[in-house]
């Protein structure tokens, strides 16, 4: 287990870099996780992170890639809810990386 330092807080991460405690998430934590992944969060990223957190609230799970794409298309429209857009934003691993940045558990069927 490793930790992420955000301000004066030490946040516990699991072996894959996901938050151990979902309640530790904040915008600042998301920003620190993104920096660790060498990713600069844009408004488009935040839109997907907000969407993912809503998905988790509704279904109590992190979506794999296909459900994420379908949900994004439903909520954000087809121009944003497609694999090309999401892969571009999240380095080709939208379900895993977006869930990590959103402070959610690793999607269960992602390697």
């Amino acid at each position: 287990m490793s930790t992420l330092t955000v301000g004066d807080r030490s946040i516990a991460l699991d072996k894959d870099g996901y938050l151990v405690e979902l309640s530790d998430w904040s915008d600042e934590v998301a920003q620190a996780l993104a920096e660790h992944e060498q990713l600069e969060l844009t408004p488009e990223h935040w839109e997907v992170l907000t969407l993912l957190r809503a998905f988790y609230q509704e279904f109590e799970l992190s979506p794999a890639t296909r459900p994420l794409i379908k949900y994004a298309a439903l909520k954000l429209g087809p121009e944003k809810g497609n694999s090309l857009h999401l892969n571009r934003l999240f380095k080709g691993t939208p379900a895993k990386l977006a869930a990590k940045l959103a402070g959610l558990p690793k999607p269960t069927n992602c390697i």
Side-chain angles (χ1 to χ4, degrees):
M1 196 157 62
S2 62
T3 58
L4 177 73
T5 303
V6 180
D8 60 351
R9 294 174 58 208
S10 193
I11 311 289
L13 303 176
D14 70 11
K15 66 179 176 56
D16 296 318
Y18 291 79
L19 296 182
V20 172
E21 293 293 327
L22 274 54
S23 61
D24 283 336
W25 189 87
S26 67
D27 288 359
E28 294 79 22
V29 170
Q31 194 66 49
L33 288 167
E35 286 171 14
H36 188 263
E37 296 288 335
Q38 298 167 345
L39 185 67
E40 185 176 330
L41 295 178
T42 66
E44 287 182 311
H45 290 97
W46 285 108
E47 189 173 48
V48 175
L49 298 183
T50 302
L51 182 80
L52 261 174
R53 292 187 62 81
F55 184 99
Y56 190 83
Q57 284 272 315
E58 188 173 342
F59 300 106
E60 296 184 9
L61 60 92
S62 298
T65 302
R66 280 194 180 154
L68 171 59
I69 292 168
K70 283 185 169 184
Y71 194 73
L74 179 70
K75 300 292 186 178
L76 304 176
E79 67 285 345
K80 293 182 179 178
N82 63 69
S83 59
L84 251 69
H85 178 72
L86 295 171
N87 281 324
R88 180 180 58 78
L89 288 176
F90 296 101
K91 300 180 176 183
T93 58
K96 285 171 52 177
L97 184 53
K100 182 185 290 187
L101 300 180
L104 303 177
K106 184 177 180 180
T108 51
N109 59 348
C110 288
I111 297 170

